[in-house]
Amino acid sequence: MASRQSFHAFGCLTFFSCILFCSYTPTFALIDVERSYIARRQLLTLRENGELPDRYEYTVKTTEKFENERLRRAFIALQAWKKAMYSDPKNITSNWFGPNVCDYKGVYCARAIDDPKLKVVAGIDLNHADIAGYFPVELGLLTDVALIHLNSNRFCGIIPDSLSKLTLMHEFDVSNNRFVGVFPRVVLSWPSVKYLDLRFNNFEGCLPPELFEKDLDALFLNDNRFTCNIPETIGKSSVSVVTFANNKFKGCIPRSIGKMSNLDEIIFSNNNLGGCFPQEIGLLHNVTIFDVSKNSFMGSLPANFSCFKKVDVLDISGNKLTGSVPEDICKLPSLSSFKFSYNYFSEEHMACIKPERKNIVVDDVGQMYRRVSTF
Ligand SMILES: *[C@@H]1O[C@H](CO)[C@@H](O)[C@H](O)[C@H]1NC(C)=O
Ligand SMILES: *[C@@H]1O[C@H](CO)[C@@H](O)[C@H](O)[C@H]1NC(C)=O
Ligand SMILES: *[C@@H]1O[C@H](CO)[C@@H](O)[C@H](O)[C@H]1NC(C)=O
């Protein structure tokens, strides 16, 4: 509370503080024009998910001296964010006051990419901070940030569109929070995002097809409330890891899956997916984890599963699969765990019941009935 009051006590924008940042803003005249408006601007007065006006930072009064104008912008963003926090049980943000934003706990500074003479806020890491609050529009002022890690907090509400100004974003992890609403399309505007972790939130609705056209390395979507079909664009995705588990996705696995050229791990478990497996999965020669458990897949297993030369974990349990479990699958060279329990298979090969290699775990319980085939 004390810090909030001291924040309100900040003086007006003085001519002196203008001089401080004049050198960074060739369009200083514009600021003067807006002067009457300037004196009144308070933090958190922007409409929720409203626009962050250009040069917004000059409309906020500060009396502190900053090493450079970009740190002043970061200060405004972080102070607005602190005001937007309802609970910080570990007192992580207790040193978030004053102009030395690089000393704030969880805030990381580095040389600016476009101007190495300048120190700027390049990352925020508040993993496991257990903070409750929301994302104010002002966070769009953190334009030098390339990394946001907020795993296991209690941030709620939506991811505001103003974050589109964070054009250097590389890693964005808001997993295990309380975000809601449709897929946060603002993440699609970041040109160089590689790692996107949205798991364990309450996002809902369909996935935008453009998501799979981003140059991502890892995409975590599991444990939300996503619905709809998985977009056909998945085949264009550059991800090596993608998780769809524990949502309400429906429909088939798109045939384009076979075009996922970097795929290593893919997890579809516990959705409402169904239909037959597309033959094209046989093109996923490098996949090491393939998990389609707890869906409603039907039909017999395509022989193409035996193309999974690098598969380590294969889980097809808890579906409505019929026919036989081909011997070739149980002899795959890298397989260490193969689960096909709780299906309607009527035949399995000795190679699956007593695998030749001792380091394979096979789980085959819960079939309707079983006939062992040894030929
Ligand atoms: C956080 O600060 C409050 C008030 O200063 C104090 O009562 C509490 O014990 C602190 N909690 C931790 C985890 O340090
Ligand atoms: C598998 O990985 C190798 C080596 O990285 C690569 O050359 C090949 O194109 C990959 N194949 C597929 C189908 O992803
Ligand atoms: C999948 O297997 C079928 C039958 O063995 C074969 O005709 C087809 O060409 C295979 N497709 C791919 C994509 O590997």
Side-chain angles (χ1 to χ4, degrees), residues 9 85 98 129 156 159 210 230 238 254 267 278:
M85 291 175 183
C156 60
I159 313 280
E210 305 93 303
I230 292 170
S238 56
I267 301 183

Side-chain angles (χ1 to χ4, degrees), residues 9-268:
F10 288 163
C12 294
L13 186 73
T14 61
F15 184 62
F16 178 70
S17 65
C18 282
I19 289 173
L20 268 180
F21 60 73
C22 278
S23 53
Y24 301 97
T25 51
T27 51
F28 178 59
L30 238 159
I31 302 165
D32 238 0
V33 175
E34 293 170 7
R35 186 167 263 280
S36 58
Y37 177 57
I38 292 168
R40 271 182 268 118
R41 186 63 96 169
Q42 299 274 323
L43 293 179
L44 298 188
T45 54
L46 294 170
R47 195 166 45 84
E48 188 193 342
N49 202 26
E51 267 208 32
L52 182 63
D54 285 341
R55 284 183 282 274
Y56 172 76
E57 62 271 28
Y58 307 123
T59 70
V60 177
K61 48 200 172 165
T62 53
T63 50
E64 286 85 351
K65 284 190 187 179
F66 294 90
E67 203 178 304
N68 62 59
E69 175 54 18
R70 298 207 204 165
L71 289 176
R72 183 178 172 274
R73 287 161 60 90
F75 170 82
I76 294 167
L78 294 169
Q79 292 305 323
W81 199 12
K82 189 174 174 178
K83 285 185 80 174
M85 291 175 183
Y86 308 122
S87 161
D88 177 7
K90 299 181 180 175
N91 292 341
I92 305 274
T93 61
S94 58
N95 79 341
W96 283 29
F97 58 84
N100 299 323
V101 291
C102 298
D103 294 339
Y104 289 13
K105 204 182 271 182
V107 174
Y108 294 89
C109 290
R111 303 273 141 207
I113 290 171
D114 58 331
D115 187 351
K117 291 190 299 296
L118 294 182
K119 195 164 72 167
V120 295
V121 172
I124 307 282
D125 186 343
L126 293 172
N127 277 351
H128 302 281
D130 198 25
I131 293 171
Y134 67 97
F135 276 14
V137 173
E138 285 93 335
L139 284 188
L141 293 171
L142 294 172
T143 48
D144 295 294
V145 162
L147 178 150
I148 290 186
H149 285 179
L150 296 175
N151 174 300
S152 301
N153 282 278
R154 292 173 287 151
F155 288 106
C156 60
I158 54 145
I159 313 280
D161 290 339
S162 65
L163 293 199
S164 64
K165 296 184 192 256
L166 278 48
T167 52
L168 300 177
M169 187 64 74
H170 196 262
E171 288 181 23
F172 187 70
D173 177 355
V174 292
S175 58
N176 198 20
N177 277 280
R178 294 173 184 180
F179 288 107
V180 297
V182 296
F183 184 90
R185 292 190 66 94
V186 62
V187 307
L188 303 175
S189 69
W190 296 328
S192 46
V193 64
K194 294 283 177 202
Y195 181 98
L196 188 56
D197 193 342
L198 304 178
R199 60 192 142 157
F200 294 98
N201 278 288
N202 287 314
F203 292 115
E204 62 191 29
C206 305
L207 296 180
E210 305 93 303
L211 176 59
F212 297 103
E213 289 163 10
K214 300 296 292 179
D215 191 19
L216 288 168
D217 284 339
L219 175 61
F220 299 94
L221 301 167
N222 56 285
D223 295 272
N224 278 286
R225 298 167 178 225
F226 290 119
T227 51
C228 307
N229 288 29
I230 292 170
E232 279 292 332
T233 47
I234 191 171
K236 296 182 182 171
S237 182
S238 56
V239 290
S240 61
V241 177
V242 57
T243 63
F244 297 98
N246 305 322
N247 281 286
K248 294 197 171 68
F249 290 110
K250 62 185 179 67
C252 299
I253 294 179
R255 308 194 85 88
S256 68
I257 190 173
K259 299 200 179 109
M260 295 181 80
S261 51
N262 297 320
L263 192 63
D264 182 5
E265 300 178 15
I266 190 160
I267 301 183
F268 291 109

